[in-house]
Amino acid sequence: MIRITVDGEPVQGRDGQTIAGVLVGAGRTAWRTSQTGDRGVFCGIGVCHDCLVTVNGVEGVRACRREAADGDRVEREVRA
Amino acid sequence: MTHVAILGGGPAGLAAAQGALAAGARVSLLDEGDRLGGQFWRHHERLTDPRLQHAWHRFGRLRGALADGDAQVHVGASVWWAEASADGVRLRATVGDADGDGRTGLEVDADAVVVATGAHDLALPVPGWTLPGVTTAGAAQALAKRDGVAVGRRTVVSGSGPFLLPVAHSLALVGSEVVAVHEASRLPALARGWLPRPWELAGKAEEFLEYAGGLMRHRIPYRTGSAVVRVLGTDRVEGVVVAAVDADWRPIPGTEREVACDAVALGHGFTPRLEAALALGCAIDGDHRGRFVVVDDTQRTSVARVFAAGELTGIAGADAALAEGAVAGFLAAGGAFDDPRLRGPVAARSRTRAFARRLERAHGIRPGWTAWLDDDTIVCRCEAVARRAIVERADVPLRAMRLATRAGLGPCQGRTCGRTVEAIVAEAGGAAASVGFDRRPVLAPVRIGEVAALAETDPPT
Ligand SMILES: Cc1cc2nc3c(=O)[nH]c(=O)nc-3n(C[C@H](O)[C@H](O)[C@H](O)COP(=O)(O)OP(=O)(O)OC[C@H]3O[C@@H](n4cnc5c(N)ncnc54)[C@H](O)[C@@H]3O)c2cc1C
Ligand code: FES
């Protein structure tokens, strides 16, 4: 088990899952604010950039490609 | 000793590596994923349910060949630059955590390169498809295989092609109810594609029957000539509208019905990842209905030292990728096309080429799909560009249209919407594009600082 935070809230996942895998596994479907409402995973393989999050302060990380590490701080990105 | 660089570690790239090693070359293989295997063998040692994998023993043999041979394998290596000259080829990559800020640079100089960057899903837009809970069929498959999670509790699968079957099966195995699989092609098209010369389908037929059995066991209905034509919901998916479609995939009025669900997986085929091949200068053939790298029988592209294999040269599945990769790698290493060791792959390739033609005949995208769009349906997801804006500028050159609407100028660089924007422009009477949306100056996302730090790149290997 690993534990990350998403906008401050704790979320548990399985060791080795991608950030998108942890979030979807926890029943979350959306974690980014776009011009048209919330978005989450779409292509699942790093192509569409819909799943972008900030991880430990680094912006623009594709949640579907980044393996989650215990203690990761994941934050929502808002498209102006 | 000849040094062969291989871009991509899916079935095509892995077979190319094995082929190049067999012909006596030294190999450097780069893939941006954390693990080898590409889309077909996407996996995680602890999280993947083995029932979701196919031909796993073949993957083991390919990895074994890499481990035993003179091969450098770089995973987590995103190739963002590729060039070919009279002296050789050069690839530049960043290596490390996906999109991390602490990645290192890697430069590979080689005598030849096999480009095997594969494809990604082509999901046609549908009104409401930007709602959370809508994913591509490939995403549903990738999350099931790699992470062991289901995209929803009650999922509708819609699109076209045999790939929808393993997707539905995987979804069921990771715990989602699958309401139905909607295949847009109608029975006559499916029969035209699949029924003639059944003996050519040896091997494939068993795979289909296995998936069909899976669908039956999980009581998943397979409905041909139907499609999800609208996704319903306010903040997330709450349901879909399903309709019967005609032979051109145009929804048939009066057949619409609502179905409750919390996830939708869309997949209308695949589109190749051409940017590396384009950067290397390879000739491309086709239009928005399908555009691929041109190769000859030896998998050579139009550019000396550059070979291509796998979904990049046509959509025909993993068997085709394996056969083409084997030929490409062997030839790139200087092996001879008439070498007896290539007999198997060459024979397999003619079978898989026939398979590709069947796929297109049975499941190829039909032009009537645009009838399920509204004027305000978003086509470019990144920049939220609606169909109306694209149609209004259909008569100006593609580049000007993009600048005016911003279609394809967002973070995904037109990867997701390119083909559909071109289809909408073509339907509205606009000019056909030769390369359209596929040319991208930087092949994979790099941070500005990483480019600046290039001077400190490791010496070429
Ligand atoms: C999401 C998805 C899931 C799929 N799942 C299945 C399945 O379960 N079963 C099935 O039969 N078919 C599946 N397919 C179809 C699949 O594409 C083919 O069966 C097969 O994998 C094609 O092999 P390939 O080697 O041509 O390409 P791929 O397997 O796609 O391999 C290409 C590789 O190139 C790498 N790459 C691309 N660009 C770069 C770059 N710039 N830098 C570094 N590396 C790069 C990618 O990371 C990838 O690993 C799937 C397709 C997709 C898109
Ligand atoms: S879901 Fe498309 S890039 Fe992550």
Side-chain angles (χ1 to χ4, degrees), chain A residues 18 42 50 59 62 65, chain B residues 32 99 136 147 381 447:
Chain A
T18 60
F42 181 66
D50 252 348
E59 287 175 20
R62 286 168 286 176
R65 292 212 41 231
Chain B
E32 65 185 1
D99 300 325
T136 65
D147 290 298
R381 299 170 60 94
R447 296 182 184 279

Side-chain angles (χ1 to χ4, degrees), chain B residues 1-6 12-29 62 65-66 69-71 112-114 307 324-335 341-342:
Chain B
M1 188 188 238
T2 308
H3 181 200
V4 177
I6 295 172
L14 289 169
Q18 188 185 35
L21 290 169
R26 170 165 89 84
V27 162
S28 297
L29 185 149
L62 290 165
L66 277 173
D70 189 356
V113 62
V114 178
F307 295 72
E324 293 178 6
V327 175
F330 199 80
L331 273 285
R341 283 173 288 177
L342 281 189

Side-chain angles (χ1 to χ4, degrees), chain B residues 12-104:
Chain B
L14 289 169
Q18 188 185 35
L21 290 169
R26 170 165 89 84
V27 162
S28 297
L29 185 149
L30 293 82
D31 194 291
E32 65 185 1
D34 294 334
R35 293 172 179 71
L36 293 176
Q39 310 306 350
F40 186 65
W41 286 310
R42 179 176 290 272
H43 70 285
H44 184 280
E45 293 72 20
R46 290 185 307 278
L47 301 171
T48 301
D49 180 337
R51 290 174 300 173
L52 303 189
Q53 291 293 348
H54 284 85
W56 191 250
H57 55 282
R58 181 85 188 260
F59 184 36
R61 284 208 300 277
L62 290 165
R63 282 195 288 191
L66 277 173
D68 297 343
D70 189 356
Q72 286 274 339
V73 175
H74 304 278
V75 289
S78 296
V79 175
W80 61 276
W81 180 268
E83 65 183 296
S85 70
D87 309 324
V89 295
R90 171 168 293 181
L91 304 178
R92 288 176 175 163
T94 54
V95 185
D97 283 346
D99 300 325
D101 63 350
R103 298 185 292 185
T104 52

Side-chain angles (χ1 to χ4, degrees), chain B residues 261-437:
Chain B
C261 62
D262 67 350
V264 186
L266 299 174
H268 302 85
F270 295 96
T271 186
R273 298 175 71 169
L274 295 174
E275 50 274 88
L278 278 168
L280 286 159
C282 300
I284 306 288
D285 191 26
D287 60 16
H288 63 271
R289 283 163 291 196
R291 197 178 280 131
F292 297 100
V293 177
V294 179
V295 287
D296 66 10
D297 273 348
T298 64
Q299 303 297 136
R300 274 192 181 80
T301 68
S302 61
V303 178
R305 302 174 181 276
V306 181
F307 295 72
E311 305 276 69
L312 206 51
T313 67
I315 303 301
D319 291 341
L322 286 165
E324 293 178 6
V327 175
F330 199 80
L331 273 285
F337 186 58
D338 58 6
D339 190 293
R341 283 173 288 177
L342 281 189
R343 255 179 232 151
V346 168
R349 202 179 49 181
S350 53
R351 281 196 303 275
T352 58
R353 280 183 184 158
F355 182 75
R357 288 192 292 274
R358 286 171 185 268
L359 260 182
E360 181 57 31
R361 216 174 298 142
H363 301 280
I365 293 175
R366 305 293 309 154
W369 71 269
T370 51
W372 70 55
L373 298 177
D374 295 333
D375 274 350
D376 59 1
T377 302
I378 288 171
V379 177
C380 165
R381 299 170 60 94
C382 292
E383 298 296 303
V385 183
R387 169 168 73 173
R388 181 187 294 112
I390 295 162
V391 171
E392 277 170 2
R393 290 177 183 77
D395 55 342
V396 300
L398 200 59
R399 216 183 109 71
M401 187 278 290
R402 289 180 68 173
L403 289 172
T405 62
R406 294 204 51 75
L409 294 184
C412 96
Q413 292 284 293
R415 289 177 170 90
T416 312
C417 70
R419 288 295 145 83
T420 50
V421 171
E422 289 178 49
I424 290 167
V425 166
E427 185 191 51
S434 59
V435 175
F437 281 61

Side-chain angles (χ1 to χ4, degrees), chain A:
Chain A
M1 272 303 183
I2 56 164
R3 195 187 280 266
I4 64 174
T5 63
V6 181
D7 297 324
E9 289 175 32
V11 177
Q12 276 194 357
R14 289 165 69 194
D15 192 11
Q17 282 178 322
T18 60
I19 290 175
V22 170
L23 295 178
V24 169
R28 293 178 179 239
T29 51
W31 49 82
R32 183 174 73 87
T33 307
S34 81
Q35 314 90 308
T36 63
D38 283 0
R39 301 272 179 96
V41 69
F42 181 66
C43 74
I45 59 164
V47 170
C48 74
H49 289 63
D50 252 348
C51 65
L52 295 186
V53 284
T54 296
V55 181
N56 303 326
V58 178
E59 287 175 20
V61 176
R62 286 168 286 176
C64 67
R65 292 212 41 231
R66 170 66 73 83
E67 188 164 312
D70 199 33
D72 271 348
R73 270 180 301 111
V74 174
E75 288 162 308
R76 173 178 289 263
E77 296 192 359
V78 178
R79 169 72 192 257

